[in-house]
Amino acid sequence: MLSVKDLVVNYGAIQAIKKVSFEIHTGEIVTLIGANGAGKSTILHTISGIMRPVSGQVTYLDRQIQKVAAPRIVQAGISQVPEGRHIFPGLSVQENLQMGAFLRKDRRSIAQAYEDVYNYFPVLKQRRHQDAATLSGGEQQMLAMGRALMAAPKLMLLDEPSMGLAPIFINEIFDIIRAINAAGTTVLLIEQNANKALSIADRGYVLASGEIKLSGTGQELLANTAVQQAYLGG
Amino acid sequence: MQTFGQQLINGLSLGSIYALLALGYTMVYGIIKLINFAHGDIYMLGAFWGYFVINQLHFNFIWAMLSAMIFCALLGVVIEYFAYRPLRHSPRITALITAIGVSFLLENGMTYLFTANTRSFPQVIKTVTYHLGGLRISNIQLLILGTACLLMLLLELIIKRTKMGRAMRAVSVDPEAAQLVGININHTISFTFALGSAMAGAAGVLIGLYYNSIDPLMGMTPGIKAFVAAVIGGIGSVPGASVGGFLIGLLETGVQAIGLSAYKDAVVYFVLIVILLVLPAGIFGHKTKEKV
Ligand SMILES: Nc1ncnc2c1ncn2[C@@H]1O[C@H](COP(=O)(O)OP(=O)(O)OP(=O)(O)O)[C@@H](O)[C@H]1O
Ligand SMILES: [Mg+2]
């Protein structure tokens, strides 16, 4: 579904991504794990069209998209749940969700999307008239995911959804990622919580200093001693 | 009591003009964090546009104002495109200095083309003064007040109810998230400049009718006062800009009424300083609260 080939991305003179290549097949959950500053968010921003690569290709459904503008990428079916949630403060929960459907026109399917989101996250329905800024961190994460779902994505990019959350929230979030995937959305999951991410992923890649160091199935990487030492605290 | 009522009427009329101008400052600041120093000059160009279409093309008031709004909207979009967009990612001070440069360009360019002389604005509408229990109120004042309120209401509807309005709010609170939901930032910024400049264009034609005279530097002082109004209201806040505009208008006429005409500008700035000491974010501004 998505393939990234020899991607190079710079911030000024700093090379953040050095020839990264990876693939995501339709229906998969793929995870990209790596320490702080490895370049995970940079890769997502490049896929989403917010950053331009110096070289390399991003191919989505047989079309090169590395030069396509961000709105077109959302329209093509790639939605991102950004690191740090980036919900819209001052707008209600429901207005935040409405923003997620910004490019959609069919009222009936938008109404269905609200239903789906409220099914995944019943707490958002209870809070739908509340200012999004007053939600707890976990609820904001749910809202950010709900907002991305409102675009009816074929591919969902999640940037560290477990960051800063209590363990029960983390479990709930990962269960919902699985449910979203089971309902037909392909998932690229970025995480520092490698254990959790690898256990729900079909495949994973390990990123360090802007390069892919290892790849394999979720189980293979969980069993790998180098991964265990570097990312699983053991 | 009578003078009080009279000053209230005069203050509200003048305040409408400041409010219309302040809206442009606040919307542009809200979306790209730029104080658009050329905004007062767009108002001046709106007045000149009105002057020419009324004199040369014999437009009536409605058409003069509508065409001035369209002209200024286009002008605002063009200025943003050529002067501010290339500096989007530069330090803020660079864009600010550019805005001052654009302001000088418009003022000096107009002075060069039309001389610095004051021109008398054609009176497309005959002034009729009504006497109501000792108060004098002119049809022009009613027109200014009515038009300003109508435009503000329209603006509120655009911001609250339309897709473009939602995009404006989203870009002003979080441009990155706005892009991620599919909002085109460039279009949204252009639209904001168009709206703000159209309001300035309307204000330019209205002031021409009210004060009867226009000149290439007429935008300087009202521009600064409207900016003060936007700050008092809470920069970035649309209702704040309206309230701030009316407040300054009332203040200025009030100060004149008690015989301190010479100090009216000083009083405006004094109030600005006092309000900012008490409410640093302005009346409707709120401290940015963020959860990480
Ligand atoms: N705006 C920027 N300007 C300059 N350098 C940047 C910028 N953003 C990121 N970088 C650098 O690029 C590299 C990759 O950053 P990136 O945010 O992609 O890492 P990450 O893997 O997402 O880290 P984290 O886990 O902390 O979110 C880092 O070395 C970072 O310092
Ligand atoms: Mg990151």
Side-chain angles (χ1 to χ4, degrees), chain A residues 60-200:
Chain A
Y60 169 71
L61 300 175
D62 302 321
R63 205 159 66 102
Q64 294 213 354
I65 58 164
Q66 70 273 6
K67 293 206 175 81
V68 175
R72 295 253 165 278
I73 296 207
V74 177
Q75 194 137 45
I78 303 180
S79 282
Q80 187 188 144
V81 183
E83 181 178 343
R85 293 119 201 182
H86 282 267
I87 50 121
F88 296 113
L91 270 63
S92 72
V93 166
Q94 187 154 332
E95 286 174 318
N96 265 271
L97 293 177
Q98 189 183 21
M99 293 307 308
F102 189 77
L103 294 171
R104 298 178 68 185
K105 300 212 163 66
D106 177 17
R107 279 166 195 272
R108 200 114 49 77
S109 63
I110 294 174
Q112 183 59 48
Y114 278 115
E115 290 262 310
D116 293 345
V117 169
Y118 288 144
N119 274 332
Y120 285 125
F121 308 107
V123 64
L124 295 184
K125 188 168 190 176
Q126 285 168 29
R127 310 260 151 120
R128 64 185 182 281
H129 299 302
Q130 198 170 314
D131 181 344
T134 62
L135 297 180
S136 76
E139 290 161 351
Q140 290 192 2
Q141 182 61 47
M142 293 176 182
L143 180 57
M145 289 170 68
R147 184 180 64 189
L149 284 173
M150 290 299 293
K154 298 189 181 84
L155 171 64
M156 190 157 163
L157 313 173
L158 290 137
D159 197 343
E160 304 199 32
S162 74
M163 190 171 65
L165 301 188
I168 50 161
F169 265 125
I170 297 182
N171 286 334
E172 194 176 343
I173 296 279
F174 277 85
D175 285 345
I176 292 166
I177 293 170
R178 263 163 60 179
I180 290 169
N181 177 249
T185 306
T186 308
V187 171
L188 173 58
L189 172 62
I190 291 211
E191 266 299 343
Q192 288 197 50
N193 191 336
N195 208 342
K196 270 278 167 200
L198 288 171
S199 65
I200 69 161

Side-chain angles (χ1 to χ4, degrees), chain B residues 103-164:
Chain B
S103 170
F104 280 136
L105 178 75
L106 296 176
E107 287 167 12
N108 294 337
M110 287 300 283
T111 306
Y112 177 76
L113 290 175
F114 298 104
T115 76
N117 295 340
T118 300
R119 288 153 189 261
S120 68
F121 197 86
Q123 296 304 291
V124 264
I125 294 178
K126 241 197 173 51
T127 307
V128 180
T129 307
Y130 307 105
H131 295 271
L132 291 171
L135 297 182
R136 277 174 298 112
I137 182 162
S138 75
N139 56 342
I140 305 288
Q141 285 178 317
L142 290 173
L143 185 72
I144 290 178
L145 205 57
T147 311
C149 289
L150 191 74
L151 288 176
M152 284 188 256
L153 196 71
L154 208 66
L155 188 70
E156 180 72 9
L157 284 176
I158 290 174
I159 293 174
K160 285 277 150 68
R161 297 286 159 80
T162 69
K163 209 162 178 169
M164 233 8 194

Side-chain angles (χ1 to χ4, degrees), chain A residues 45 48 50 70-71 74 80 82 85-86 88-89 95 98-100 102-104 133-135 140 147, chain B residues 160 163-164 166-167 169-171 173-174 176-185 289-292:
Chain A
H45 282 149
S48 283
I50 289 183
V74 177
Q80 187 188 144
R85 293 119 201 182
H86 282 267
F88 296 113
E95 286 174 318
Q98 189 183 21
M99 293 307 308
F102 189 77
L103 294 171
R104 298 178 68 185
T134 62
L135 297 180
Q140 290 192 2
R147 184 180 64 189
Chain B
K160 285 277 150 68
K163 209 162 178 169
M164 233 8 194
R166 283 206 299 278
R169 288 194 287 159
V171 173
V173 293
D174 192 333
E176 184 180 318
Q179 288 192 73
L180 290 177
V181 298
I183 292 169
N184 185 320
I185 303 248
K289 44 180 185 222
E290 263 164 32
K291 220 175 226 165
V292 190

Side-chain angles (χ1 to χ4, degrees), chain B residues 19 118 192 197 238 268:
Chain B
T118 300
T192 307
S197 306
V238 168
V268 167

Side-chain angles (χ1 to χ4, degrees), chain A residues 11 14 16 35-42 83 160 192:
Chain A
Y11 288 101
I14 305 161
N36 286 122
K40 306 178 299 292
S41 301
T42 306
E83 181 178 343
E160 304 199 32
Q192 288 197 50

